[in-house]
Amino acid sequence: MTFKAKNLKNIFIYISLISIAFSAFVTASLNTRNVYGQDAPPTPTPIPTLTPTPPITTPTPTATPTPSTIVTGTVNMMVGSEIIEVIEVKNSSDELLANARITVTVNDPDIASIRILDTTINDQVVVEGRVLVAQAGVNGQKAFVISALLGGPTTIDFEALPENGDQTMLVTETLSLEVLQLQAVIQSDLILGEAPLAVQFFDRSLGKIDKRVWKFEDDDSVTTDRNPLHTFTDTGIFDVSLEIESAFSIGTITSAATTTICVTPSDVGLPGVIFGTVIDPDRNKPLSGVDMLLISESATKRVRTQRDGLYRFEGILPGTLNFNICKGPLYECIFEEFTFDGASLIKNFQMERKDFSNP
């Protein structure tokens, strides 16, 4: 029957499928046997290694460290003066940069010079004081001393680099410097003489002079001549002063100088100088700190001997002089009178020690 045949055919297909499955099972079992006939352990499933993913962070914006030096305006100085200029190196966030390198260039070294106030091992002079290379401290600061030599304008360049030397971060600032030169100087052909005494004065002042005034103490006269000739008719010691003015960008500056003229009577003679030494004869050594009083008809003068025992009296007019010389309680005082005829006199003294053995 068709129905049966159809059933037998299905049975046959089922048996064939079971045979194929059994053969596959047997083959798989043989492949899983080891050399000893034992079942092989199953191959472990590998555990994946997890690579940690870095956290996602939002970067904090930072300022570019661009150095800058705080140098502004114009500095005015007088010839012979010095100032201290402190340089600070900062970044754009106004933070001081430690150990920054500062290069300084004076563009006219005849007018001004510059030196480092406190040098360190990293500081160096590159070209005879004109160019300096200095390292700022941990506070980002460096101090320089500027000296004014001659009158005139000049500039000083400051270059700053961070410690890593990145040239892209180089910044330059310029300091303008104006050295004001004004110094009154008096010169004369005579400083002493007998009355009437004619003295030629010369104005040797330094700088640009817009105005000058001479003043003479003997007769209270005034002149604006550059090199006046003045005659002293009275006797005595008189001051002569010179005051000059000059207009600069910062305003008017004045300078003054004074000299002294000594005028003596014609029958007295010119003043002279008395000098010498004071020694201890017992020890054959000079005595310092000795009080010496010189009394004359015109004046009284006091000096004290120096370390080498030297003394000096100046401007002593001829006449009768009295010396009073003392040094503490250990030495006998000296009192001496003599006549001085002017010019120069060398006079030495010996101070004897007091004898305390005989009360």
Side-chain angles (χ1 to χ4, degrees), residues 207-223:
K208 179 177 67 70
I209 301 173
D210 298 323
K211 180 182 177 180
R212 66 172 55 84
V213 177
W214 291 88
K215 296 180 181 180
F216 300 93
E217 184 185 19
D218 63 316
D219 59 1
D220 295 327
S221 61
V222 176
T223 181

Side-chain angles (χ1 to χ4, degrees), residues 75-133:
V75 175
N76 297 282
M77 301 176 61
M78 292 297 297
V79 170
S81 64
E82 290 186 339
I83 62 171
I84 297 178
E85 188 75 14
V86 179
I87 304 302
E88 293 181 332
V89 183
K90 296 183 176 182
N91 60 19
S92 58
S93 297
D94 206 34
E95 298 170 340
L96 291 168
L97 297 180
N99 304 320
R101 195 180 80 163
I102 304 172
T103 302
V104 187
T105 304
V106 181
N107 294 309
D108 193 340
D110 292 332
I111 293 179
S113 65
I114 192 166
R115 69 179 189 273
I116 302 169
L117 180 61
D118 296 315
T119 59
T120 66
I121 192 173
N122 296 317
D123 299 334
Q124 58 180 318
V125 176
V126 179
V127 183
E128 298 180 356
R130 179 178 177 180
V131 179
L132 302 177
V133 176

